[in-house]
């Protein structure tokens, strides 16, 4: 069984950070790079609209992201609408692609795990992002999807 799990595991090497705060984005990027050496590519989107476009472009060039860290509250398009648009795109593509999306939340009622799950997110972490939480998230994101949202708290 452990051998089957290892075969199904896909290391997270391509990450998109959708975060409107440049300081938070830089901190998350630093934490990602200091957590693992498997990440080869990180991009930053300043809002949900840019995140959707970057994700579509990555799929169209056959280099999809493995994980999107999605801030829930952003200008132009929030993380919930961006996630819904990404899931619609994946359905339109009619393929087996399903990028793992983790909510980045301040822990408010407006971005609770059930709300994030209904938008199509796979994981939920709270800001400020902590390295141990990010480490666990990267581990779980490397396995096939599970049913229901996975919540990672300190």
């Amino acid at each position: 069984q452990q051998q089957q799990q290892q075969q199904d595991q896909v290391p997270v090497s391509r990450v998109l950070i959708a975060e409107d705060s440049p300081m938070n984005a830089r901190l998350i990027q630093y934490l990602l790079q200091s957590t693992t050496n498997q990440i080869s590519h990180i991009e930053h989107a300043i809002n949900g609209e840019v995140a959707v476009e970057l994700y579509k472009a990555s799929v169209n060039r056959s280099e999809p992201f493995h994980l999107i860290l999605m801030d829930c509250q952003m200008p132009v398009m929030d993380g919930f609408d961006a996630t819904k648009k990404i899931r619609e795109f994946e359905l339109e593509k009619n393929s087996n692609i399903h990028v793992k999306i983790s909510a980045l939340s301040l822990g408010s009622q407006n971005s609770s795990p059930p709300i994030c799950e209904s938008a199509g997110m796979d994981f939920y972490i709270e800001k400020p992002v902590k390295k141990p939480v990010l480490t666990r998230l990267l581990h779980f994101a490397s396995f096939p999807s599970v049913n229901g949202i996975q919540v990672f708290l300190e």
Side-chain angles (χ1 to χ4, degrees):
Q1 187 179 16
Q2 185 177 4
Q3 186 177 13
Q4 179 63 39
Q5 275 188 334
Q6 287 175 340
Q7 288 174 350
D8 293 340
Q9 189 175 8
V10 176
V12 174
S13 63
R14 299 180 53 76
V15 179
L16 175 60
I17 302 167
E19 168 64 64
D20 60 319
S21 164
M23 188 172 76
N24 283 345
R26 281 194 300 275
L27 173 63
I28 293 167
Q29 182 169 348
Y30 169 77
L31 291 172
L32 284 168
Q33 291 169 328
S34 67
T35 299
T36 178
N37 61 1
Q38 294 182 339
I39 296 176
S40 61
H41 185 81
I42 299 174
E43 286 191 47
H44 174 224
I46 60 170
N47 61 54
E49 186 175 69
V50 173
V52 171
E53 293 309 312
L54 287 173
Y55 176 68
K56 287 180 178 180
S58 77
V59 170
N60 289 334
R61 69 176 178 266
S62 298
E63 296 177 327
F65 292 103
H66 299 119
L67 176 65
I68 299 175
L69 300 171
M70 185 76 75
D71 186 7
C72 294
Q73 306 298 322
M74 293 181 285
V76 182
M77 181 186 293
D78 66 27
F80 305 113
D81 288 339
T83 298
K84 289 174 186 173
K85 289 198 177 294
I86 287 169
R87 297 301 182 221
E88 289 168 7
F89 172 75
E90 290 174 338
L91 286 174
E92 289 169 11
K93 281 299 227 184
N94 199 20
S95 68
N96 290 332
I97 57 173
H98 176 92
V99 65
K100 306 289 178 57
I101 300 177
S102 177
L104 294 175
S105 172
L106 289 172
S108 71
Q109 279 189 314
N110 295 338
S111 57
S112 66
I115 293 170
C116 296
E117 182 177 22
S118 68
M121 296 179 183
D122 304 286
F123 304 107
Y124 174 94
I125 60 176
E126 291 184 349
K127 296 193 276 188
V129 176
K130 303 272 193 303
K131 189 173 181 176
V133 172
L134 198 56
T135 301
R136 288 197 332 265
L137 171 65
L138 289 171
H139 173 75
F140 280 91
S142 68
F143 290 99
S145 293
V146 295
N147 291 331
I149 192 165
Q150 301 294 304
V151 177
F152 298 98
L153 301 174
E154 206 171 350

